[in-house]
Amino acid sequence: MSDVVQSTIVDASPTGVPSAMTERPLRVAGITGLGYYVPRRVLTNAELERIVDTNDEWIRTRTGISKRHLAADDESTADLAEKAARQALRDAGVSPQDIQLIIVATCTPDYQGFPSTASLLQDRLQCSCAAFDLGAACSGFVYALVTAQQFIATGAAQNVLVVGAEVLSRIVDWSDRNTCVLFGDGAGAAVLQAVQPGYGMLGFDLGSDGSGGELLKVERGDGAGLDTGAEHIGLLTACRNRIIQNGREVYRFAVNVMGESALRALHTCGIASEDVDLFVPHQANVRIIDAAAKRLRLPSEKVFVNVDKYGNTSAASVPIALCEAREQGRIRSGDTVVMVGFGGGLTWASCVMKWV
Ligand code: ACO
């Protein structure tokens, strides 16, 4: 990817035979606008103590999570996505009519199958553009950034809206202490545009290992009610689909893949890990983040962590973290930022961006 700016493409005819008529340089996409939204309702560890056999101390020491935000009963993934997207568009100074493509990374779409959450968002924003959902669980946002880069590189799109949005609380089994303490709801969005040479996406690494699919999956529910006690604190318990995971195995996978994938992405653009200004990892568990940072030999001031406030918001976690990092002045123009996601599939995704 390091030579992407210098590369050329040859236009292909509709039959796939290169016409070789026009050559144009590939372009590089950068993030020019960011936005995020989390629902108002906060669920604390103390409230979880009332529905499963757990305690605040265990959750904080084993995961780093203190609280998470949950969508209201009438709030959907598209609602969260819309709020984050409008903020990102304002931040970039781009009108919805100028967007050519919307990608929504989500594993909790409003509808099973269709319409996609991206199409719902396209209608709400009144964009005239292509729109599709991307399913790569917690790696989804970084997968979507890399996908957007390909459209921008070829000139197929000038302005792409990438959103990570989740209402995971609807697929959490509130009777399972192994999983219900981990997840939260939220959305983050980014506008991508072509940027000047040397900036934007310099390298990436994407991967999948479906042989580990059973370790982390969403099982289809029959819609029957679950007797969990969660309704006492206002949580929906009619069991729809639910997250099932082998926590220990996912932990082992995550600790290895986060550091390794980030290093591969850095290798593709010839950047050393000591030259990274900020590492923005998927926020699943502070111990996983610490292990990845150690593998990359990054000091804690170069690692962004906000899992304590939001829990694991899957595809929304990296864009929410990017927004907060920038708000806190921890991402500035010219910084080298590395993002890494891992999750169900199993999947992983990393990218290196020189911030515009
Ligand atoms: N409260 C109290 N005790 C608990 C809880 C809880 N909430 N959850 C599990 N325990 C118990 C277990 O039952 C076990 O008890 P036992 O020894 O009597 O059987 C004990 O704590 C230790 O269990 P472990 O699984 O070894 O605990 P661990 O330290 O590994 O932490 C955790 C568990 C937090 C789930 C960890 O394994 C983890 O973070 N795994 C990765 C999860 C993850 O990141 N998923 C990503 C999803 S990404 C996506 O795509 C959606």
Side-chain angles (χ1 to χ4, degrees):
M1 282 295 294
S2 59
D3 60 348
V4 71
V5 178
Q6 291 82 39
S7 307
T8 57
I9 56 163
V10 178
D11 280 352
S13 73
T15 58
V17 178
S19 61
M21 291 299 116
T22 51
E23 285 195 350
R24 55 176 187 260
L26 289 180
R27 301 177 308 166
V28 179
I31 291 178
T32 57
L34 284 170
Y36 80 104
Y37 173 77
V38 288
R40 290 168 64 145
R41 161 88 156 105
V42 172
L43 181 70
T44 62
N45 291 348
E47 285 175 280
L48 283 166
E49 287 178 14
R50 292 165 52 194
I51 60 167
V52 286
D53 179 15
T54 189
N55 59 77
D56 175 56
E57 211 255 329
W58 191 96
I59 301 172
R60 277 190 293 103
T61 53
R62 305 310 291 165
T63 71
I65 301 167
S66 299
K67 56 185 180 172
R68 66 288 290 144
H69 290 247
L70 302 188
D73 291 353
D74 61 354
E75 254 179 331
S76 71
T77 300
D79 291 330
L80 274 52
E82 182 183 354
K83 289 187 168 116
R86 288 194 187 279
Q87 210 183 88
L89 289 166
R90 268 196 306 277
D91 189 42
V94 169
S95 133
Q97 289 70 43
D98 293 329
I99 295 290
Q100 287 89 31
L101 172 65
I102 298 174
I103 309 174
V104 175
T106 185
C107 52
T108 49
D110 286 357
Y111 292 90
Q112 262 185 14
F114 49 84
S116 71
T117 306
S119 288
L120 299 176
L121 184 60
Q122 168 267 314
D123 179 52
R124 286 162 180 234
L125 297 175
Q126 292 292 290
C127 303
S128 305
C129 69
F132 61 87
D133 284 0
L134 187 152
C138 304
S139 316
F141 181 78
V142 181
Y143 253 87
L145 289 183
V146 174
T147 305
Q149 154 67 17
Q150 313 313 312
F151 279 84
I152 288 176
T154 56
Q158 284 76 49
N159 306 299
V160 181
L161 177 63
V162 171
V163 182
E166 304 284 10
V167 182
L168 293 162
S169 58
R170 306 234 163 93
I171 57 167
V172 162
D173 177 351
W174 293 105
S175 66
D176 177 10
R177 71 175 182 174
N178 292 292
T179 52
C180 77
V181 302
L182 303 176
F183 299 101
D185 301 335
V191 173
L192 278 91
Q193 297 177 297
V195 294
Q196 66 264 43
Y199 287 81
M201 190 175 293
L202 306 178
F204 66 83
D205 174 62
L206 301 181
S208 166
D209 177 7
S211 72
E214 290 292 314
L215 298 176
L216 180 56
K217 61 182 182 182
V218 178
E219 194 177 75
R220 268 176 206 271
D222 59 6
L226 267 188
D227 182 17
T228 65
E231 60 276 11
H232 299 312
I233 59 166
L235 298 172
L236 289 172
T237 52
C239 196
R240 316 113 311 202
N241 304 339
R242 63 189 187 125
I243 299 172
I244 296 183
Q245 74 167 349
N246 179 331
R248 269 175 220 180
E249 286 304 317
V250 173
Y251 185 90
R252 201 167 296 147
F253 156 72
V255 160
N256 285 326
V257 85
M258 273 195 127
E260 293 303 322
S261 176
L263 285 174
R264 279 194 297 270
L266 284 164
H267 184 71
T268 62
C269 51
I271 293 178
S273 57
E274 56 264 33
D275 295 326
V276 171
D277 295 297
L278 193 69
F279 180 51
V280 183
H282 170 47
Q283 307 285 316
N285 182 322
V286 75
R287 292 187 295 137
I288 295 173
I289 295 172
D290 288 347
K294 199 168 161 199
R295 176 77 184 85
L296 294 166
R297 298 207 181 91
L298 291 174
S300 58
E301 61 271 18
K302 288 190 171 186
V303 180
F304 191 80
V305 178
N306 65 0
V307 69
D308 48 319
K309 295 192 287 182
Y310 304 119
N312 180 347
T313 57
S314 191
S317 96
V318 169
I320 293 174
L322 285 175
C323 287
E324 289 203 330
R326 200 189 53 171
E327 272 169 20
Q328 294 168 20
R330 293 183 64 186
I331 299 181
R332 289 177 298 264
S333 179
D335 280 355
T336 299
V337 177
V338 174
M339 300 164 226
V340 188
F342 72 88
L346 300 167
T347 55
W348 57 91
S350 302
C351 72
V352 183
M353 268 205 188
K354 176 75 90 175
W355 212 259
V356 284

